Amino acid sequence: MVIEYLPLLAQGAGLSLCVMLLSLAVALVLGLINAIIKLFGPRWLRWISTGYTTLVRGIPELVIMLLLFFGGEMLVNSFLGLLGVGPVRFNTFISGVLAIGIVFGAYYTETFRGAFQTVDRGQLEAAVAYGMRPTQVFRRIMLPQMLSFAIPGINNNWLGLMKASALISILGLEDMVWLAEQAGRATQKPFLFYFLVAMIYMVITAISTWGFSLLSRRYALSTSTAARARE
């Protein structure tokens, strides 16, 4: 019976990985946009961005997930009821991805903001003096160098996001944590299946750490090469 559940657990692991990667994409986009707003946006947008990061970072991921899924569904259905439209059901996968992405978008905002502030201002002034447009300065100088400073923070937040993705099983998504719980109940071997899930997370963590270390060395090499070229 245990062997029969392994293909199903592998399928759940694939779904969990999809949740992680899509949530990471949402978080990176939100983090980059909000970091730019915090540094260069108008005051009223900076207030909104600051309120978003402060509020989200102060609330547990599970609470935000439940608020967006159950609370959001109730609010939408209440509004639709006034219009005489039947109730709708939120998609568990999309709700979980958006909730995790919104939560870690706040963390990535601070990661990117700090990395932007680390970029040497002398290089930016020199680029402007050479006649580069602001978009060119951002794309060719600020963004590449910011990424080299942000990689450690991106890695740390990714590991936190990866662990937080296990909470999506509470919404009823049939990811590997949910399937491990069901398999453990059916076979009376919950420890075995939870242990397998823990090992899968460890493998993802090890591969991620290795990949980010390679990426960090690559950007460090690119930055040092560019510095020698300027000298």
Side-chain angles (χ1 to χ4, degrees):
M1 290 183 63
V2 172
I3 295 176
E4 291 176 358
Y5 280 98
L6 293 182
L8 195 61
L9 191 62
Q11 182 180 349
L15 182 60
S16 295
L17 188 59
C18 288
V19 171
M20 297 174 200
L21 295 176
L22 289 176
S23 300
L24 177 64
V26 173
L28 289 174
V29 171
L30 281 178
L32 184 59
I33 291 174
N34 276 286
I36 294 173
I37 289 174
K38 273 195 167 186
L39 292 173
F40 310 111
R43 180 176 297 180
W44 66 274
L45 272 181
R46 293 202 302 269
W47 286 347
I48 295 175
S49 179
T50 301
Y52 157 68
T53 55
T54 302
L55 181 66
V56 170
R57 291 191 300 162
I59 301 175
E61 294 90 344
L62 178 58
V63 175
I64 293 179
M65 195 176 297
L66 295 175
L67 278 173
L68 290 177
F69 184 69
F70 295 107
E73 187 176 276
M74 290 179 62
L75 287 175
V76 170
N77 286 328
S78 297
F79 177 74
L80 292 178
L82 296 175
L83 301 177
V85 182
V88 297
R89 292 282 299 177
F90 278 14
N91 183 279
T92 308
F93 179 84
I94 296 175
S95 300
V97 167
L98 290 178
I100 297 172
I102 289 171
V103 169
F104 283 88
Y107 292 99
Y108 277 118
T109 295
E110 298 305 317
T111 298
F112 290 142
R113 185 177 67 88
F116 273 126
Q117 291 176 330
T118 311
V119 177
D120 183 13
R121 298 299 168 185
Q123 298 182 36
L124 308 180
E125 295 172 359
V128 173
Y130 272 106
M132 296 179 67
R133 295 189 299 274
T135 55
Q136 291 177 317
V137 174
F138 179 81
R139 181 168 52 88
R140 297 183 179 180
I141 297 177
M142 286 196 69
L143 189 59
Q145 294 199 46
M146 179 276 293
L147 287 175
S148 66
F149 296 117
I151 287 175
I154 293 174
N155 182 29
N156 290 335
N157 287 327
W158 157 251
L159 296 178
L161 183 153
M162 179 193 68
K163 291 183 287 186
S165 67
L167 297 174
I168 201 173
S169 62
I170 296 175
L171 303 182
L173 185 68
E174 297 180 1
D175 65 340
M176 60 178 170
V177 177
W178 188 91
L179 290 172
E181 180 184 2
Q182 301 303 313
R185 290 180 179 179
T187 61
Q188 300 298 316
K189 297 181 183 297
F191 177 81
L192 173 61
F193 287 99
Y194 284 128
F195 178 78
L196 291 175
V197 169
M199 291 300 99
I200 293 173
Y201 276 110
M202 286 300 299
V203 170
I204 296 175
T205 299
I207 294 174
S208 302
T209 303
W210 173 75
F212 275 106
S213 65
L214 290 180
L215 192 62
S216 180
R217 288 198 296 269
R218 178 183 179 279
Y219 269 98
L221 180 62
S222 300
T223 303
S224 62
T225 302
R228 287 195 299 268
R230 288 193 300 269
E231 294 174 356

